[in-house]
Amino acid sequence: YMVPAIFMALEEFPLTPNGKVNRRALPDPEPQRPRSSATLVSPQNELERQIAEVWQEMLRLEAIGIHENFFELGGHSLLAMQMHSKLQEMLDMDISVVEVFQYPTIRAMAEYVSQKQQKTQAEPEEARGEKRTARRAAVSERRQRRQQHRKTTGIQNKQE
């Protein structure tokens, strides 16, 4: 994570009157698209297009190939979390954060999502409803535990 994204060659560094590098006088680096070993292959179906749109928004890139790796294009764990939330919302599907890391290309994520959708459609509606209810209950329970923890932590901090 500490490897610079861009290297620039300069004839000489601009200096302040004190002999230090004048950071304000340094030229702005030209944004460069990270090079990927994959060739740019456009999305082939609607699901790939939807995922590509989210990636383009997150990574601030104009075009992304379906075989390019999210993390090689400049993605990191925080962006992956944001992407995870957007994908869940957009697809109305429960996707774990781990799966975002397991399927780092648009093609891999689209294949995984379409397989998961097929399995979900094969389930009876009652089972889906039960899962949805259980998931909402778990989220609500986690929220309550966090709030309780915050209250407890806040009280302890005031006593100290």
Side-chain angles (χ1 to χ4, degrees):
Y1 72 96
M2 293 187 66
V3 176
I6 298 173
F7 289 92
M8 290 182 53
L10 298 176
E11 294 285 327
E12 62 182 47
F13 288 102
L15 302 176
T16 64
N18 295 335
K20 296 180 181 180
V21 174
N22 185 350
R23 294 178 185 219
R24 293 182 183 160
L26 288 171
D28 289 332
E30 294 179 21
Q32 297 175 348
R33 180 186 171 98
R35 291 193 174 98
S36 173
S37 59
T39 58
L40 187 69
V41 178
S42 298
Q44 306 297 308
N45 58 45
E46 186 58 33
L47 181 57
E48 288 179 356
R49 280 185 203 85
Q50 290 176 325
I51 295 170
E53 286 176 14
V54 172
W55 282 33
Q56 288 169 340
E57 179 183 339
M58 293 288 112
L59 297 170
R60 295 186 175 125
L61 294 173
E62 301 251 344
I64 299 176
I66 60 173
H67 298 295
E68 294 186 88
N69 187 302
F70 178 78
F71 300 101
E72 289 176 6
L73 293 173
H76 49 75
S77 58
L78 295 176
L79 280 179
M81 294 295 290
Q82 292 175 0
M83 180 182 66
H84 166 257
S85 296
K86 287 208 178 249
L87 285 176
Q88 281 197 133
E89 182 181 316
M90 180 184 70
L91 300 171
D92 192 28
M93 173 185 271
D94 188 31
I95 301 171
S96 78
V97 176
V98 173
E99 291 160 346
V100 170
F101 288 89
Q102 286 176 332
Y103 306 104
T105 65
I106 293 171
R107 167 65 52 89
M109 180 60 75
E111 286 175 0
Y112 169 75
V113 167
S114 78
Q115 288 174 0
K116 193 168 182 172
Q117 286 175 337
Q118 289 173 358
K119 286 180 185 177
T120 303
Q121 290 171 353
E123 285 183 4
E125 180 59 37
E126 295 171 12
R128 286 190 296 218
E130 290 172 8
K131 282 183 178 180
R132 204 173 298 125
T133 303
R135 188 169 50 243
R136 287 182 183 148
V139 168
S140 177
E141 183 180 329
R142 271 186 260 143
R143 186 178 300 123
Q144 290 174 352
R145 276 189 275 161
R146 273 195 305 267
Q147 288 173 347
Q148 184 63 35
H149 176 73
R150 288 179 185 144
K151 288 179 185 176
T152 305
T153 306
I155 293 170
Q156 289 176 352
N157 289 340
K158 289 179 183 176
Q159 292 174 353
E160 295 176 358

